[in-house]
Amino acid sequence: MSSIVPTDLTDADWRALHDLAVEAMAQAYAPYSRFKVGAAALVDDGRLVSGCNVENAGYGVTLCAECGLVSELVRTGGGRLVAFACVDAHGRACAPCGRCRQLLSEHAADGMVLAMPSGRMTIDEVLPDRFTADDVERVVDEQS
Ligand code: THU
């Protein structure tokens, strides 16, 4: 079976992603910031994965919605993220924070598209020149 690529997505696919992100947002645990977030993504094999933010009394321990999404991705068999949507409590597009752009990028398909508040953008546009496994391996190899 051939992999799904970002250009395959129809408007109906984007609506389904948005709806799943809204469903996830409704489950968020955000008693401290009261800023509920839901995230959803399409995997290159057609699976949908999602997550919500989970806050903690130790504020720094908070898990962003993307953490839950990536955890579900890996737990359910891995794969590459093709398309991503993140919403706030009003169902409006929410920009992933810098840390979560890095987290998502490690699992991104080539040309992964994110629904940003300013419109759809690729992973390269939202996180150019990112740190990757190649950067780690280059230095580790030099040492051995
Ligand atoms: N948050 C996310 O879940 N994802 C992001 O990319 C941005 C921020 C959450 C963390 C915290 O629970 C709340 O939004 C306010 O920062």
Side-chain angles (χ1 to χ4, degrees):
M1 193 194 73
S2 66
S3 295
I4 299 168
V5 295
T7 48
D8 291 339
L9 268 86
T10 62
D11 286 346
D13 293 327
W14 280 107
R15 272 196 300 277
L17 261 192
H18 176 269
D19 290 351
L20 182 58
V22 170
E23 248 177 64
M25 178 277 298
Q27 303 299 324
Y29 175 74
Y32 305 104
S33 72
R34 296 194 291 149
F35 188 83
K36 293 185 169 198
V37 181
L42 175 67
V43 186
D44 60 355
D45 64 2
R47 272 153 52 232
L48 289 169
V49 290
S50 60
C52 63
N53 55 334
V54 180
E55 298 187 343
N56 190 276
Y59 294 174
V61 183
T62 287
L63 301 174
C64 283
E66 294 86 339
C67 298
L69 182 153
V70 169
S71 177
E72 185 182 336
L73 171 74
V74 172
R75 181 186 65 76
T76 58
R80 296 272 138 204
L81 300 170
V82 172
F84 169 87
C86 187
V87 298
D88 63 20
H90 303 289
R92 295 183 198 123
C94 177
C97 73
R99 175 186 178 279
C100 288
R101 294 178 195 205
Q102 176 70 21
L103 184 66
L104 293 167
S105 73
E106 180 126 348
H107 305 277
D110 283 345
M112 176 191 175
V113 176
L114 298 87
M116 301 291 282
S118 56
R120 291 178 196 156
M121 296 175 75
T122 66
I123 190 70
D124 294 321
E125 288 170 328
V126 303
L127 193 62
D129 291 330
R130 56 184 171 272
F131 184 75
T132 69
D134 291 346
D135 296 295
V136 177
E137 278 153 26
R138 194 174 316 114
V139 174
V140 171
D141 289 348
E142 278 167 11
Q143 288 165 181
S144 55

